[in-house]
Amino acid sequence: MALVKAGVLVLDCAEPEKLAVFYKELLEGEESDATANRVEIRSADGFRIALRRDVNATPPSWPRPENSLQAHLEFVVDDLDAVERRVISLGGRPLEAKDASGPLEERGYADPAGHSFTLRRTAPTAPKQG
């Protein structure tokens, strides 16, 4: 049984609802999930993109390096601990420490080359704080 259930391209932005309109039209897709801080679009062929509210979002400045994080990968999983062990065994590393009080809804990692990604168990409920 696969540990990773789905992959979602996530774009951080100030107004996910407005950006979702653009991507729904462009992809001829439908809104498949929405919370106050995140909208997910699924195209007819199954491609998934999510727009996540970032309270400090600024437009990307590619190729200028001062604002180079423009997107990240997010993987939906059932068991964060099991997938974390797999990520580390493959050469990835945690970017965010675990909360000692209990499991997190999502955890951040870097792949062996340093690209960031998130493992998510449930839909995020709070906006990114920076």
Side-chain angles (χ1 to χ4, degrees):
M1 174 162 75
L3 293 174
V4 175
K5 293 175 20 178
V8 180
L9 173 65
V10 179
L11 299 177
D12 294 336
C13 59
E15 299 177 283
E17 302 86 356
K18 288 184 178 181
L19 194 54
V21 172
F22 171 82
Y23 281 103
K24 279 193 284 190
E25 293 296 320
L26 179 67
L27 300 172
E28 298 178 8
E30 296 181 359
E31 189 173 293
S32 60
D33 190 32
T35 66
N37 295 304
R38 175 190 161 97
V39 178
E40 186 172 308
I41 308 299
R42 184 185 310 249
S43 70
D45 69 355
F47 175 77
R48 294 168 62 181
I49 185 169
L51 302 313
R52 183 175 69 166
R53 189 177 319 279
D54 177 349
V55 297
N56 298 311
T58 57
S61 59
W62 180 260
R64 296 189 325 242
E66 64 270 10
N67 195 10
S68 62
L69 179 61
Q70 296 179 37
H72 69 275
L73 291 171
E74 180 175 279
F75 299 103
V76 178
V77 303
D78 283 325
D79 185 336
L80 286 170
D81 293 331
V83 181
E84 178 175 279
R85 287 190 295 272
R86 181 73 172 146
V87 165
I88 292 169
S89 75
L90 293 170
R93 62 182 171 84
L95 295 177
E96 300 169 1
K98 292 183 192 176
D99 181 357
S101 64
L104 299 173
E105 292 181 317
E106 61 182 39
R107 297 179 189 165
Y109 300 88
D111 68 18
H115 301 106
S116 65
F117 64 94
T118 302
L119 299 178
R120 175 175 59 90
R121 181 181 19 232
T122 60
T125 57
K128 182 179 172 191
Q129 296 295 314

